Amino acid sequence: QVQLVESGGGLVQPGGSLRLSCAASGFTFSNYRMSWYRQAPGKERELAATISPGGNRSHADSLKGRFTISRDNAKNTVYLQMNSLKPEDTAMYYCYAVSGLNYWGQGTQVTVSS
């Protein structure tokens, strides 16, 4: 059974940091491109960052310098380090895996507020 389980979300003050984790199981993680998407209330889901099976990564232009995606194939886990958080980063953050087939996690809520 395929599972993508996100964790690490929560309430943080502006300027703070969070690290999201997505633990994968049920498929060959190392073969999959992994991504983080986010969806703010009333807005469309958007790509935040993506990382290839070999570790090549890219980030949304608006997030460069603040967010960093990484993966640990030995742990079947992808991470999103988020620094200098802003209120506009408030969203549900979703993990996504793709390699022909594709899978979504259930999401973890990030709220940036004072």
Side-chain angles (χ1 to χ4, degrees), residues 65-96:
R66 295 194 301 122
F67 287 20
T68 303
I69 191 171
S70 62
R71 67 190 296 160
D72 185 336
N73 288 341
K75 295 183 178 180
N76 289 353
T77 302
V78 61
Y79 304 98
L80 186 67
Q81 178 67 43
M82 306 186 296
N83 298 327
S84 303
L85 283 161
K86 304 175 181 180
E88 51 264 42
D89 295 318
T90 295
M92 186 71 78
Y93 284 72
Y94 297 92
C95 181
Y96 177 69

Side-chain angles (χ1 to χ4, degrees), residues 27-104:
F27 62 98
T28 306
F29 178 81
S30 58
N31 290 346
Y32 279 66
R33 171 175 290 278
M34 301 299 299
S35 303
W36 285 98
Y37 282 77
R38 67 181 189 177
Q39 187 167 19
K43 295 188 176 181
E44 292 187 356
R45 193 171 296 190
E46 63 177 3
L47 176 65
T50 186
I51 186 166
S52 72
N56 293 320
R57 48 192 170 190
S58 63
H59 303 81
D61 286 344
S62 61
L63 303 179
K64 286 179 181 177
R66 295 194 301 122
F67 287 20
T68 303
I69 191 171
S70 62
R71 67 190 296 160
D72 185 336
N73 288 341
K75 295 183 178 180
N76 289 353
T77 302
V78 61
Y79 304 98
L80 186 67
Q81 178 67 43
M82 306 186 296
N83 298 327
S84 303
L85 283 161
K86 304 175 181 180
E88 51 264 42
D89 295 318
T90 295
M92 186 71 78
Y93 284 72
Y94 297 92
C95 181
Y96 177 69
V98 62
S99 177
L101 299 176
N102 62 89
Y103 310 110
W104 286 97

